[in-house]
């Protein structure tokens, strides 16, 4: 079996305080942090036991994980397991990066989000440079608020050409886009129109629930983060019987970590082995990408 697990434990605190995020500057108690660490350890032991499978792990925490050493150690531990193909994490990249030396970095993926109101661009660029020096495949990205457009263009100019810069579209009505806004963000990220679309999904084939799972700290498994119908518990002896094809039960899917698994969009071909850390297989952003992006967004 080839299985991808999106792990989201109880960790919800973050060292940033972004106004649009409910977890900004949330402080967790020692008791809560202790539970998060124990839940993560249980999950790691489960991954270690799945030697008959090829497993990829993607940490998608509500808060910021890499400021805590147990997540740094978890990534290092996972990358040294022969049956783990990929270990990736979403992060604001504010942590120290000396732990990278403990990893098999060819198996590590970093999805790094730049928050210009909380980190200087020079600092973010320096962090990305360290990732490159260690041979860590990574993407950089920003939330697509219109007020950040100048900063996004500056970041694109200063990032190395081989680093993909994605823009997450704001879809909740907080920042309505004009056609000019869409064109501007698409010049930065040619896949922006794909992210700026709520893709029809009801009844469509999706890898969620079959080869891709969302798992919480207690082991409750779901087909994805956005459909809260439990499939069972990951740690139950008979859990594998729950893994089967399931058409999507939602009308649309508008988040990258969800729609990237919709089969008809064929985004697994676009991202290849960089699917979890959001790195396209070819440098779409350096030319000729608009046609590909337009085809996907109109599917």
């Amino acid at each position: 079996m080839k299985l991808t697990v999106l792990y989201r434990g109880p960790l919800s605190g973050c060292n940033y305080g972004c106004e649009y995020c409910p977890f900004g500057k949330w402080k967790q108690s020692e008791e809560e942090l202790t539970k998060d660490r124990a839940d993560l350890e249980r999950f790691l032991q489960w991954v270690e036991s799945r030697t008959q499978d090829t497993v990829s792990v993607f940490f998608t925490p509500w808060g910021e994980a890499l400021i805590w050493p147990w997540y740094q150690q978890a990534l290092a531990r996972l990358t040294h397991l022969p049956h783990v193909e990929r270990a990736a994490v979403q992060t604001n990249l504010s942590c120290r990066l000396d732990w990278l030396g403990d990893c098999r970095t060819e198996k590590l993926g970093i999805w790094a989000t730049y928050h210009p109101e909380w980190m200087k661009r020079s600092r973010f660029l320096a962090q990305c440079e360290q990732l490159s020096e260690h041979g860590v495949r990574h993407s950089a990205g920003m939330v697509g608020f219109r007020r950040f457009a100048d900063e996004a263009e500056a970041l694109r100019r200063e990032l190395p050409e081989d680093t993909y810069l994605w823009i997450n579209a704001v879809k909740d009505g907080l920042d309505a886009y004009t056609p000019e806004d869409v064109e501007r963000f698409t010049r930065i990220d040619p896949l922006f129109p794909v992210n700026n679309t709520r893709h029809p999904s009801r009844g469509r084939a999706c890898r969620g629930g079959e080869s891709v799972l969302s798992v919480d700290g207690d082991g409750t498994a779901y087909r994805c983060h956005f459909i809260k119908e439990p499939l069972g518990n990951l740690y139950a002896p008979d859990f594998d019987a729950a893994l089967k094809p399931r058409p999507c039960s939602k009308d649309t899917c508008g988040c990258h970590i969800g729609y990237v698994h919709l089969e008809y969009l064929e985004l697994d071909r676009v991202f290849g082995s960089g699917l979890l850390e959001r790195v396209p297989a070819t440098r779409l952003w350096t030319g000729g990408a608009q046609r590909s992006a337009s085809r996907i967004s109109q599917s």
Side-chain angles (χ1 to χ4, degrees):
M1 184 186 303
K2 191 169 185 177
L3 189 62
T4 296
V5 184
L6 281 62
Y7 179 83
R8 178 175 284 172
L11 182 75
S12 59
C14 186
N15 57 331
Y16 285 1
C18 301
E19 61 182 287
Y20 52 85
C21 177
F23 302 102
K25 290 296 184 183
W26 178 267
K27 298 297 184 183
Q28 292 187 282
S29 68
E30 287 298 321
E31 182 180 0
E32 290 169 328
L33 291 173
T34 297
K35 184 182 187 311
D36 180 73
R37 188 170 186 172
D39 286 350
L40 178 59
E41 176 59 31
R42 187 185 187 192
F43 173 70
L44 293 174
Q45 291 179 10
W46 178 86
V47 176
E48 288 171 336
S49 74
R50 299 289 295 197
T51 55
Q52 74 275 23
D53 301 323
T54 299
V55 181
S56 292
V57 174
F58 186 21
F59 293 119
T60 60
W62 285 121
E64 173 55 37
L66 290 186
I67 57 176
W68 303 109
W70 53 92
Y71 280 96
Q72 301 171 8
Q73 294 159 7
L75 287 167
R77 186 167 155 186
L78 288 168
T79 62
H80 284 280
L81 295 176
H83 63 288
V84 167
E85 184 172 65
R86 204 88 188 131
V89 63
Q90 292 178 322
T91 175
N92 61 29
L93 211 55
S94 61
C95 65
R96 292 172 58 91
L97 295 175
D98 49 356
W99 55 274
L100 292 174
D102 297 327
C103 299
R104 287 188 61 185
T105 53
E106 71 273 14
K107 290 188 175 187
L108 184 63
I110 300 289
W111 164 318
T113 305
Y114 171 50
H115 298 280
E117 71 274 51
W118 292 97
M119 179 184 277
K120 291 184 180 298
R121 189 192 326 140
S122 58
R123 167 68 173 160
F124 185 81
L125 289 164
Q127 292 287 83
C128 290
E129 184 177 356
Q130 282 197 62
L131 294 177
S132 296
E133 289 173 352
H134 280 86
V136 179
R137 187 164 57 186
H138 60 283
S139 66
M142 296 179 63
V143 179
F145 286 112
R146 291 186 297 166
R147 66 181 184 273
F148 292 161
D150 289 345
E151 190 64 29
E153 289 172 338
L155 183 62
R156 177 64 277 171
R157 287 193 300 270
E158 296 183 32
L159 279 169
E161 187 180 70
D162 61 356
T163 300
Y164 174 52
L165 175 60
W166 46 265
I167 304 292
N168 268 355
V170 179
K171 305 185 185 75
D172 56 8
L174 292 176
D175 209 27
Y177 296 127
T178 66
E180 291 75 20
D181 294 326
V182 172
E183 181 180 357
R184 187 178 186 185
F185 280 131
T186 302
R187 286 197 298 268
I188 299 166
D189 172 12
L191 292 176
F192 178 75
V194 180
N195 188 260
N196 195 35
T197 300
R198 294 189 183 276
H199 301 277
S201 57
R202 184 173 293 276
R204 303 274 191 158
C206 181
R207 288 180 289 277
E210 180 182 13
S211 61
V212 181
L213 295 173
S214 167
V215 176
D216 67 18
D218 294 326
T220 304
Y222 308 88
R223 66 177 77 180
C224 72
H225 286 328
F226 314 104
I227 300 176
K228 291 305 181 184
E229 176 188 351
L231 304 180
N233 192 281
L234 189 72
Y235 307 128
D238 60 348
F239 175 74
D240 286 5
L243 299 174
K244 60 184 179 182
R246 287 178 170 83
C248 184
S249 60
K250 291 181 70 69
D251 290 335
T252 63
C253 186
C255 180
H256 175 89
I257 60 175
Y259 66 68
V260 77
H261 301 296
L262 282 170
E263 293 186 7
Y264 81 96
L265 294 180
E266 298 185 337
L267 287 168
D268 55 328
R269 297 175 62 184
V270 174
F271 288 92
S273 62
L275 187 72
L276 297 186
E277 59 268 32
R278 202 172 178 173
V279 178
T282 59
R283 296 182 188 177
L284 299 175
W285 59 98
T286 60
Q290 281 73 14
R291 291 189 299 274
S292 175
S294 176
R295 177 188 65 79
I296 297 168
S297 62
Q298 295 171 11
S299 296

